[in-house]
Amino acid sequence: MANNEKIQQLQHIDHQLAKLLEQRVQLTREFSTQEKSVDLSFLEEVSDENRTQIMEIFTLLNKPSSPKRTLLVSRDAQPESTIITSKGRSLGRTPQIIAGPCSVESEEQVMAVAEVLQEQGIKWMRGGAFKPRTSPYDFQGLGKRGLEILRLAGDQYDLRVISEVMHPADLEMAAEYLDVIQIGARNMQNFDLLKAAGKVQKPVLLKRGLSATLEEYLYAAEYILDAGNSEVILCERGIRTYEKWTRNTLDISAVPILKQETHLPVLVDITHSTGRKDLLLPMGRAALAAGADGIMLEVHPDPAKALSDSKQQINLEEFRHFMEQIRMMNHPSF
Amino acid sequence: MANNEKIQQLQHIDHQLAKLLEQRVQLTREFSTQEKSVDLSFLEEVSDENRTQIMEIFTLLNKPSSPKRTLLVSRDAQPESTIITSKGRSLGRTPQIIAGPCSVESEEQVMAVAEVLQEQGIKWMRGGAFKPRTSPYDFQGLGKRGLEILRLAGDQYDLRVISEVMHPADLEMAAEYLDVIQIGARNMQNFDLLKAAGKVQKPVLLKRGLSATLEEYLYAAEYILDAGNSEVILCERGIRTYEKWTRNTLDISAVPILKQETHLPVLVDITHSTGRKDLLLPMGRAALAAGADGIMLEVHPDPAKALSDSKQQINLEEFRHFMEQIRMMNHPSF
Amino acid sequence: MANNEKIQQLQHIDHQLAKLLEQRVQLTREFSTQEKSVDLSFLEEVSDENRTQIMEIFTLLNKPSSPKRTLLVSRDAQPESTIITSKGRSLGRTPQIIAGPCSVESEEQVMAVAEVLQEQGIKWMRGGAFKPRTSPYDFQGLGKRGLEILRLAGDQYDLRVISEVMHPADLEMAAEYLDVIQIGARNMQNFDLLKAAGKVQKPVLLKRGLSATLEEYLYAAEYILDAGNSEVILCERGIRTYEKWTRNTLDISAVPILKQETHLPVLVDITHSTGRKDLLLPMGRAALAAGADGIMLEVHPDPAKALSDSKQQINLEEFRHFMEQIRMMNHPSF
Amino acid sequence: MANNEKIQQLQHIDHQLAKLLEQRVQLTREFSTQEKSVDLSFLEEVSDENRTQIMEIFTLLNKPSSPKRTLLVSRDAQPESTIITSKGRSLGRTPQIIAGPCSVESEEQVMAVAEVLQEQGIKWMRGGAFKPRTSPYDFQGLGKRGLEILRLAGDQYDLRVISEVMHPADLEMAAEYLDVIQIGARNMQNFDLLKAAGKVQKPVLLKRGLSATLEEYLYAAEYILDAGNSEVILCERGIRTYEKWTRNTLDISAVPILKQETHLPVLVDITHSTGRKDLLLPMGRAALAAGADGIMLEVHPDPAKALSDSKQQINLEEFRHFMEQIRMMNHPSF
């Protein structure tokens, strides 16, 4: 048989196949999972050498159709980008900077940072009140008192304040103080917390898990949207790899992928990702160049005395320099 | 200077150094973290070429002494192994087998498995009632009804029943039905759950996180002991790597390390680790050979119809075969 | 339409599909890659909602058929296990132990080890003559002189000697001294070396790459077989992960997978995998329990003075103890 | 003892320590490795509770002084950046673009790409003649004929041509055709190739290994410099992680780290890193924003028919669009 003939025959088969496949997909659309596991007796009519490949195709046909097409977080479900607005300021439109100390330690400390944020035209402040710590013997945060201090600073310096909540029972109380509730990397698959955050009337910043795939990350966000809260902010913060010269490996490619796959704003935490102060500027620039809706970083009036992450926070002077550099280089809007 | 002389001089210096270092360690033992950050002005007297190395040594001296030595989970704190006893059966003495379905689906299903466990002389059953699922649209488990079914089967077939709890608020209720509370891999750093599990009067089986280091794992267990519950069982269940032919990479070396570092019983979950039925037997044997106190695996009367993990569970006949093989090969005691 | 009817209709479609698919697979079997990329115009006749799923199936059909079925290393190509015999001793039948120093440093050192190997009934010795070192300034091995020393010891103590070769140009010379040529983890995808090793008349021990998937590993072995040498020995030696308490993570599950997928002998290097002397015994036992055809480990008369890997090698007394333990526990045959 | 007193005493001890440490460092500077392993008998005079910490310090003192300070690749050895010049065009000054097909397939194909490169003002072309392929049955490249085609295109369109060499024996021949020799990721620790590349009179582009740490990467480069060739170009190309939505995880933080630690030019391969055409633009921008000296990408006149990597290469029209976008956005200089 000549090659041309073969190609024509192939095209003929493909048209018939496409028709049959469509009929089958249509027919099984409403079948439940169990019913789909139909008998495969016909495989016996197939010759031995082709059986494996044909089995693969039926496996594909019998597997439940990919749910991604209908996820609430997906761009297919909502083509336009979600813009999150808090007290007249938006996330998801022009890039924003979110800064503040790792832990809230005292009113004095938070006010010192807040003042500089205002001076630099920044509208969002982060600060940890409930701290997830690897060791039970490390500083666990000021708790509710920390939230009060953040609120105070937010009101005085026109800042929207963001802080992590770890316990579903704390969400309602925390929402009274905070403008954005953060769910941390370690809790990305704490499904009860996700569901509870879906009931809160505040935006939720959900960090990517320490070694979460992007697919798992989208599903984690889906838990919150599915529970009723559509104001979710994503945040890449580095993933765990074998590399030892950075704390985590910042996965910048996550930014354009998340922007394509979802309609949610995407931030990059440039402090926790690398854990190195000397990389803040290049990684901040890279994140923005890759299309991030904002960058988060840690600032402390006296990092050497910080009760957590003392090595990776920059001081107020370094922060002013950082802002100057980032403005000069490619983001005059900040 | 001759080599011999140099070595003598070195020994002399080393003795003086050791004396000084001991004085210093003693002196700073009670210093708080802040006080230790003393001035490093003396470094200016050191020559340029040696400064880096000498700095390193002072960094080592100034860092807080490793807390591992005093962790409650550590063998240094308790040299003898912890034996966990439930209804006359022990974990931590001779190797045990824990088996059961991934999810509790019905009374009929659980009873069918339980009957075979008894037939095989097995004393521990696992089964999921609250299921942590990546997608909010997957089967989430029967909840409290699942626990009731497990209890029923446990009572009828003399099985100690184990099931995962995900929410601190469910712990007390679950403890009424279960003999061992499981905390899953995704919740290994859900610190509120860990603290709450420390208040429960039942043993807690804590799985290693999806990509937790062994150090983080020990600290997670420490949260439970520190909160008051010393009956903790560890369980290696595979870690996330780039390898695609297994679901996770079972880190068998974790077994002897955890046995050395802690006094707690160490299990290996041979189903979730590789996600392959065909590897159950070699990995079960390897786990026991490495010193594990037991192995966990998933058994289902009809895996093809299972509501979760249908591909990795074995059926009752395969389970009988597994037991026969593992007895024959090196563990006649089962 | 009733459910029964739907299922009958499904079965009817499936039979037709199977027939068409077989025709298609048959037809494209001899097509070259380019010809298979036929026009997909028929997809336009398919309804929008089903297009993605049907596209997936055609992608599967058009991808080159999996070459694994015909790899020379595969059990499908050769169901019976390859047994490698050297001077009357076999690898692939009963488990073997391969031991020796990390680097060959002197005749005296190698002879001291060889004597203890013979005393313990061991028939295989390893030792590095060409050392792949991360830094150009580290000890690079004795080279050809190292091979001579190994040969001397092999002859005197009835040991088959194994050493790594890094350069294709050295293969022929090395084959005169060695009984087994080793290709190290860093060279697993040094394709010229693999091809050259395929021309050598000696068995080749190919180590798994530092972060090679098992699939890549099989293809690397295939290079050697495809070039004409069917005597290949595989060796799992740990993979790179984020875990810090071991040098690498020993992937024991690789053993049963490699034994299933290929007909080649599979060893486990228990020294390089974890890099910890205290884990040799449990990991050696685990490797053997998982079905390994042998274990490799490093022994040195005076590890503290070793020119490489001084921390992970055991001394002669520790080696005697190791052998005693492993014999007592489950391998009296050693 | 009052706190003040303690601090004074501490300062006194620290001065004495610094003096002794300097003496010791000085003394052992010329000791060989063996001599440094001196007797640790003095440790017996140290109290039990402090022994571990003091041991740590002596371990630090006895380990060979960190070689990083004196590596030839290091900024400490050469503060000013290395600029690599080829036919009047520089790498290391303003960002450059290196583009071309994955494999050289025909003169026609290469000329079609080269013409567009010239049209877009680009001065560097890449193309594979010797292809490292996971499977021995995949297209292995045109070999020497591929180099001839590249040279032809280079001469006609004023392009400096870059291609991978895998075998030391091919280096001299390849250097006659190429302007820059590439060593691929799989060969990053092929030390014989590195040493041989150190003898070549052409710049060498050394890619980071599939899962190499940055430290290992620097040492690999050091092999080339140490062998006599100081014209080395580094290239981050993604590292192996668990993430499945990209082929590799592009480690952008490697760029500023490599720029800080070394004086060598640093490129980013934006094609191989993610393996996704849709990420070329954001990742290209991110790489440049992070300080890369250039980006590499793959362009093919008809990607669907490419003999390798057909899915990740862009066609000529897409490449024109890419250039337009990258110029518009932040690099008008291109």
Side-chain angles (χ1 to χ4, degrees), chain D residues 275-323:
Chain D
R276 288 176 59 155
K277 295 195 302 181
D278 59 344
L279 301 186
L280 283 180
L281 194 58
M283 298 320 283
R285 297 189 64 211
L288 294 167
D293 293 303
I295 50 180
M296 284 183 88
L297 73 166
E298 291 187 0
V299 183
H300 192 286
D302 188 353
K305 291 201 180 134
L307 295 180
S308 58
D309 281 352
S310 69
K311 269 186 190 160
Q312 68 191 24
Q313 301 187 67
I314 53 174
N315 66 29
L316 302 177
E317 212 36 66
E318 289 166 330
F319 179 64
R320 285 190 182 100
H321 179 72
F322 172 86
M323 287 303 301

Side-chain angles (χ1 to χ4, degrees), chain A residues 23-139:
Chain A
Q23 279 176 37
R24 193 190 196 282
V25 170
Q26 208 66 48
L27 187 68
T28 58
R29 191 166 288 277
E30 313 98 62
F31 274 36
S32 70
T33 305
Q34 274 96 326
E35 289 166 327
K36 277 190 201 170
S37 315
V38 291
D39 85 304
L40 298 175
S41 63
F42 61 84
L43 278 176
E44 287 162 29
E45 303 162 21
V46 169
S47 67
D48 278 6
E49 53 174 0
N50 298 333
R51 192 167 295 139
T52 314
Q53 205 182 349
I54 291 177
M55 272 283 284
E56 272 186 75
I57 287 156
F58 278 93
T59 305
L60 196 66
L61 278 166
N62 284 327
K63 92 167 178 210
S65 28
S66 158
K68 228 180 63 195
R69 273 169 285 177
T70 54
L71 286 191
L72 298 170
V73 297
S74 145
R75 281 249 178 232
D76 293 340
Q78 180 191 313
E80 69 279 9
S81 294
T82 288
I83 307 294
I84 292 186
T85 304
S86 176
K87 297 178 178 159
R89 191 76 179 189
S90 296
L91 250 173
R93 222 181 295 271
T94 58
Q96 302 290 306
I97 286 179
I98 297 99
C102 178
S103 299
V104 171
E105 294 165 11
S106 69
E107 195 177 320
E108 189 192 358
Q109 168 228 30
V110 171
M111 290 300 178
V113 175
E115 195 184 341
V116 177
L117 296 188
Q118 195 187 45
E119 166 203 307
Q120 295 291 323
I122 287 168
K123 299 296 179 185
W124 309 83
M125 179 165 65
R126 57 141 292 143
F130 299 96
K131 299 297 301 174
R133 300 306 295 269
T134 299
S135 162
Y137 310 127
D138 285 339
F139 175 61

Side-chain angles (χ1 to χ4, degrees), chain A residues 8 18 20 38 42 54 84 117 132 139 217 297 303 307 325 327:
Chain A
Q8 275 181 21
L20 271 171
V38 291
F42 61 84
I54 291 177
I84 292 186
L117 296 188
F139 175 61
Y217 191 19
L297 73 164
L307 296 179
Q325 291 293 310
R327 262 187 221 109

Side-chain angles (χ1 to χ4, degrees), chain C residues 289-333:
Chain C
D293 294 303
I295 49 179
M296 285 182 88
L297 72 165
E298 291 187 359
V299 183
H300 191 287
D302 188 354
K305 290 202 180 136
L307 296 178
S308 58
D309 281 351
S310 69
K311 270 189 191 160
Q312 66 190 25
Q313 302 187 65
I314 53 175
N315 66 29
L316 303 178
E317 211 37 65
E318 289 165 330
F319 179 64
R320 284 191 183 100
H321 179 72
F322 172 86
M323 287 305 300
E324 190 184 341
Q325 291 292 309
I326 211 145
R327 261 186 222 112
M328 216 173 64
M329 289 200 267
N330 53 344
H331 290 275
S333 68

Side-chain angles (χ1 to χ4, degrees), chain D residues 54 73 78 89 118 157-158 189 238 252 263 279 300 318 322:
Chain D
I54 290 175
V73 298
Q78 179 191 312
R89 191 76 177 191
Q118 194 186 47
Y157 294 101
D158 185 25
Q189 290 193 319
I252 291 266
H263 49 79
L279 301 186
H300 192 286
E318 289 166 330
F322 172 86

